[in-house]
Amino acid sequence: MGFKCGWEMVVLVSLLWVSYFAGMAFGGDIVHEDDKAPKHPGCSNNFVLVKVQTYVNNKEDNEYVGVGARFGTPMESKEKHANQTRVTLADPPDLCSTPKNKLSGDVVLVHRGNCKFTTKAMVAESVGASAILIINNRKELYKMVCDSNETNLHINIPAVMLPRDAGERLETYLKRGTPVAVQLYSPDRPLVDTAEVFLWLMAVGTILCASYWSAWSAREESLEYQKLLKDAPDDLPIMEGTGSSGVVDISTTSAVLFALFASCFLMLLYKLMSFWFIELLVVIFSIGGVEGLRNCLVALLSRWFKRAGESFIKLPIVGAVSYLTLVVLPFCIVFAVIWAVYRRISLAWIGQDILGIALIVSVLQIIHVRTLKVGTILLGCTFLYDIFWVFISKVFFHESVMIVVARGDKSGEDGVPMLLKIPRMFDPWGGYSIIGFGDILLPGLLIAFSLRYDWAANKNLRSGYFLWSMVAYGFGLLTTYVALNLMDGHGQPALLYIVPFTLGTIWALGRKRGELRNLWRGEPVRVCPHCIRSKT
């Protein structure tokens, strides 16, 4: 079906664990160090994102995103009701004491530090400011809360925190004497994120297609083996698996080592995260995407151009290559190069998703889980991996390592490429809904195993395990997105929800049907007993 050498398997197997570190759903860029801060009268606002539309020299300029404070007046939700107000730079810059300049009716821009957020807001209100913009000292946004002893606060102006780069840009204009004005408002998000709906469909559809391709290939291999047994001379020894075509089986040892390697690679990314490292990941992803897309196109087109798919030419170094591959490969390379060069434009997500889906489908075709035992160990280890690097790593590194890497902090890029993404087209806040490859690949290995098991055991959809494991995966991913929205967009480890649903469903059904031991040991024997000749 393409190259007759094994280097493409090396590429795809390597991409399996290289891409897993981004295995999470992520929805925000707000630091959550103060989630447990108490609410008090006058300090009980919900945290909301705030649009900060700027006007420089009376001309519309950049729009920034800030976050509203727990205290102060609620933000206006309609753009048409939000006033365009002049911005004044605070003096002193931190506004921890009464300013030297007049702020009557202006929005005051201040630095974070040296005193509490509430102190700055009260000082700004006392001198007549209409709102306060606080420049964070980091790229991320930070939730502004009150201390436990601050009760019955009466702050009657809105307070908004800006990320450092946005605040510094506005400060530069003001220091030059350039007039700056802002419009502050916080539009409501839609109740249902359509991007998450399409992302859910993409993830479920990818596993569905990959599982059927894997099961179909396994069935064809079994039929070829049976035919070989039937046609071969009686004295010719035939080993089971002679017809195997480049499938890699995951063992219990490799399942454990996978999580360890993924942890090491995640730490490497965390320590070395930079612009050049992201560029390296783009190259790695492009290579894997080319091989995945080639594999899928050759498999699809060979149904119509069978002779071209089965005719080979021997090339130096590479080895035997089908004529169909020679036609498809240049297109795949050009497609990946165009995506890599223009990946920052608005429609680049389409190319990234095509390459990503092709890569995932190819990996699920080549890599197999043969037993429920291996699937349980693999998903169990990665389940713990997700929990540790998203939540527990905060204890040791003072920040979530997984979230930092997934966001691409310190890289100057919008995150790593090993994920599927869809823009939030009907969300006034824009942005992307994303899911890491690991959240599709790893459950997909178990689900593809369930379909191969069903076909080998001649089970229909209702009496088998594939349908119910697919339903369980869908519910698990849906639960992930519900949790993501309930937790203000804080990144969630999707396997935290997906693994109990999928693995638990297969275990429960196997136990109920009395087939758990067969599932644990592996797929049923696929060779027809009547086709095996007795040995003489």
Side-chain angles (χ1 to χ4, degrees):
M1 189 179 293
F3 293 109
K4 287 298 184 181
C5 61
W7 76 270
E8 72 272 20
M9 284 192 296
V10 175
V11 172
L12 295 178
V13 172
S14 300
L15 261 293
L16 172 63
W17 68 265
V18 168
S19 64
Y20 173 62
F21 71 90
M24 64 181 302
F26 184 72
D29 201 24
I30 303 176
V31 176
H32 281 244
E33 296 174 11
D34 43 24
D35 284 346
K36 297 181 180 179
K39 291 185 178 181
H40 300 295
C43 192
S44 58
N45 294 343
N46 292 325
F47 292 114
V48 294
L49 293 175
V50 179
K51 285 184 178 288
V52 183
Q53 177 61 60
T54 62
Y55 300 85
V56 179
N57 270 329
N58 297 319
K59 295 181 180 179
E60 187 172 310
D61 200 68
N62 294 330
E63 181 181 83
Y64 302 107
V65 176
V67 61
R70 186 84 89 182
F71 52 86
T73 55
M75 299 300 305
E76 177 59 55
S77 62
K78 303 291 185 181
E79 181 181 6
K80 62 182 179 181
H81 296 154
N83 296 323
Q84 184 176 323
T85 311
R86 186 178 67 177
V87 178
T88 300
L89 194 60
D91 185 15
D94 59 11
L95 204 65
C96 291
S97 59
T98 303
K100 301 174 183 178
N101 51 340
K102 299 294 184 180
L103 302 175
S104 182
D106 292 348
V107 174
V108 59
L109 183 67
V110 308
H111 283 255
R112 178 182 175 180
N114 300 326
C115 63
K116 295 184 291 187
F117 296 125
T118 51
T119 300
K120 299 176 188 292
M122 287 188 287
V123 171
E125 183 182 8
S126 67
V127 293
S130 60
I132 180 172
L133 293 177
I134 300 176
I135 305 172
N136 196 16
N137 53 15
R138 299 177 61 184
K139 175 184 175 182
E140 300 84 7
L141 295 171
Y142 191 90
K143 292 180 176 180
M144 297 184 289
V145 298
C146 309
D147 290 343
S148 57
N149 58 350
E150 292 182 298
T151 58
N152 293 318
L153 288 171
H154 299 285
I155 298 175
N156 298 309
I157 61 171
V160 178
M161 174 163 283
L162 285 175
R164 182 177 59 192
D165 53 351
E168 289 177 348
R169 183 179 177 89
L170 296 181
E171 185 179 23
T172 300
Y173 282 129
L174 293 171
K175 286 182 175 179
R176 292 175 182 171
T178 306
V180 176
V182 294
Q183 192 177 23
L184 307 176
Y185 61 102
S186 178
D188 297 327
R189 286 187 180 275
L191 184 61
V192 178
D193 184 356
T194 54
E196 291 179 355
V197 174
F198 284 109
L199 202 61
W200 184 91
L201 291 172
M202 284 173 56
V204 172
T206 298
I207 292 180
L208 185 68
C209 294
S211 297
Y212 270 98
W213 186 14
S214 175
W216 187 268
S217 298
R219 172 177 284 182
E220 287 185 334
E221 180 187 335
S222 177
L223 292 175
E224 289 178 5
Y225 178 66
Q226 292 180 31
K227 183 179 179 181
L228 185 63
L229 283 177
K230 182 178 179 181
D231 297 340
D234 292 342
D235 58 348
L236 180 66
I238 301 294
M239 299 297 294
E240 184 174 357
T242 301
S244 178
S245 55
V247 172
V248 178
D249 292 335
I250 297 180
S251 64
T252 54
T253 302
S254 58
V256 175
L257 290 176
F258 172 79
L260 296 178
F261 279 128
S263 296
C264 293
F265 191 77
L266 182 66
M267 279 304 301
L268 183 67
L269 287 173
Y270 178 69
K271 295 296 184 181
L272 300 180
M273 180 64 68
S274 60
F275 174 80
W276 71 265
F277 208 85
I278 292 292
E279 296 296 309
L280 177 61
L281 290 179
V282 168
V283 173
I284 295 174
F285 171 70
S286 298
I287 294 172
V290 166
E291 181 54 32
L293 189 59
R294 180 207 65 82
N295 197 29
C296 292
L297 289 177
V298 168
L300 183 63
L301 294 176
S302 61
R303 303 292 176 181
W304 291 280
F305 305 99
K306 190 172 183 179
R307 178 174 295 181
E310 294 178 349
S311 301
F312 294 86
I313 182 173
K314 191 171 184 179
L315 297 178
I317 302 175
V318 177
V321 180
S322 71
Y323 287 102
L324 190 56
T325 294
L326 290 178
V327 175
V328 169
L329 188 59
F331 166 78
C332 298
I333 294 174
V334 171
F335 186 90
V337 169
I338 291 175
W339 169 81
V341 172
Y342 296 101
R343 70 183 184 278
R344 296 181 182 87
I345 67 174
S346 58
L347 295 178
W349 63 273
I350 299 175
Q352 180 170 328
D353 287 352
I354 291 174
L355 292 172
I357 290 173
L359 174 61
I360 293 171
V361 170
S362 295
V363 170
L364 291 178
Q365 163 67 11
I366 290 176
I367 301 178
H368 284 185
V369 165
R370 294 289 187 184
T371 67
L372 181 60
K373 175 183 178 181
V374 174
T376 300
I377 294 173
L378 178 65
L379 290 183
C381 289
T382 51
F383 174 78
L384 297 175
Y385 166 96
D386 253 12
I387 293 175
F388 179 85
W389 290 111
V390 174
F391 298 121
I392 303 177
S393 63
K394 293 180 181 179
V395 178
F396 303 98
F397 301 96
H398 308 294
E399 58 186 352
S400 174
V401 172
M402 181 80 82
I403 291 179
V404 169
V405 171
R407 281 196 311 232
D409 291 359
K410 300 179 289 184
S411 68
E413 295 273 344
D414 293 329
V416 294
M418 282 79 168
L419 45 83
L420 302 184
K421 59 193 293 187
I422 294 181
R424 302 187 185 110
M425 292 171 285
F426 301 104
D427 190 328
W429 293 101
Y432 292 87
S433 290
I434 67 174
I435 183 171
F437 287 175
D439 302 324
I440 304 174
L441 274 171
L442 296 169
L445 290 170
L446 182 67
I447 294 171
F449 155 74
S450 69
L451 183 59
R452 293 194 303 270
Y453 182 94
D454 289 351
W455 283 20
N458 294 319
K459 291 180 176 289
N460 58 36
L461 281 177
R462 186 173 180 180
S463 64
Y465 296 90
F466 172 71
L467 173 63
W468 306 113
S469 62
M470 279 297 306
V471 171
Y473 175 79
F475 273 109
L477 187 56
L478 178 64
T479 304
T480 302
Y481 286 121
V482 171
L484 186 69
N485 288 286
L486 290 177
M487 297 182 184
D488 296 326
H490 184 220
Q492 292 294 299
L495 293 184
L496 174 65
Y497 308 95
I498 293 173
V499 169
F501 272 92
T502 52
L503 199 57
T505 297
I506 294 178
W507 268 79
L509 284 176
R511 184 179 180 85
K512 180 180 179 181
R513 296 169 178 174
E515 298 175 347
L516 189 58
R517 180 173 296 179
N518 293 336
L519 287 165
W520 186 259
R521 290 177 176 176
E523 298 172 311
V525 177
R526 294 173 291 166
V527 179
C528 172
H530 303 292
C531 302
I532 301 178
R533 301 180 302 277
S534 59
K535 294 184 180 180
T536 59

